[in-house]
Amino acid sequence: MSKLEFWFDFGSPNAYFAYKVLPEVEERLDVKFERKPALLGGLFKATGNQAPWMAFAGIPAKMDYMRKEIMQFVRHHGLSDFKMNPHFPINTLMVMRGAVAALEKGELPAFMDCIMTAQWEQEKDTGNPEVVMEVITAAGLDAGYYQEKVQDSDVKAGLAALTQEAVDRGIFGMPTFFVGDEMFFGKDSMAAMEREISLRAQ
């Protein structure tokens, strides 16, 4: 099977949706995606892209449709715990460095779960260092480790390197998936991504 990747940033609600739905895909197809963090702000800067709420701010009908589409996705997949964070947009630099530190420590799944839950279900301000440390502690993770690591030069360089890798591979937003070298952007591409995996498995 081709290498499977899920690129994410905690700041994207669509990345949260993909994060929640992806385990169903993995179970259905008996596959496993590698979770890879990259800084969405860095991607936007490098590619000239903008968040949808900025890019389409002057198109009310488009904004209304995006809100409706989100709620359709939520209903379809039973994501009733989702809440649009009142602190959005949130600066995710610290928690994305935390994701790199978690990857290094071998506990990225647990870190992803507590941050995704805090930001997109519990309406917490994950741009606030004190809030993040409270969330990490409540999840049973070592807050001291993360408090130190998010300032570590190697972790900072690691996030920068992953973000550059994403740019080099053509990623311009989140979530993004790869099936081998084939890229799929956005939660709405997941059905096509599944078909690609199934075709390659034949």
Side-chain angles (χ1 to χ4, degrees), residues 84-104:
M84 193 63 198
N85 196 304
H87 304 286
F88 180 83
I90 293 174
N91 184 335
T92 60
L93 179 60
M94 180 180 62
V95 286
M96 292 306 293
R97 287 177 181 169
V100 173
L103 191 60
E104 180 181 300

Side-chain angles (χ1 to χ4, degrees), residues 11 29 35 52 61 102 127 188:
L29 300 181
R35 275 71 170 162
D188 298 328

Side-chain angles (χ1 to χ4, degrees), residues 146-179:
Y146 287 99
Q147 193 164 25
E148 178 180 342
K149 279 291 187 176
V150 295
Q151 299 300 328
D152 184 89
S153 59
D154 288 342
V155 167
K156 293 178 181 180
L159 179 58
L162 283 162
T163 303
Q164 187 59 53
E165 179 188 346
V167 171
D168 292 344
R169 293 177 66 186
I171 297 176
F172 53 86
M174 299 294 184
T176 296
F177 308 90
F178 279 94
V179 179

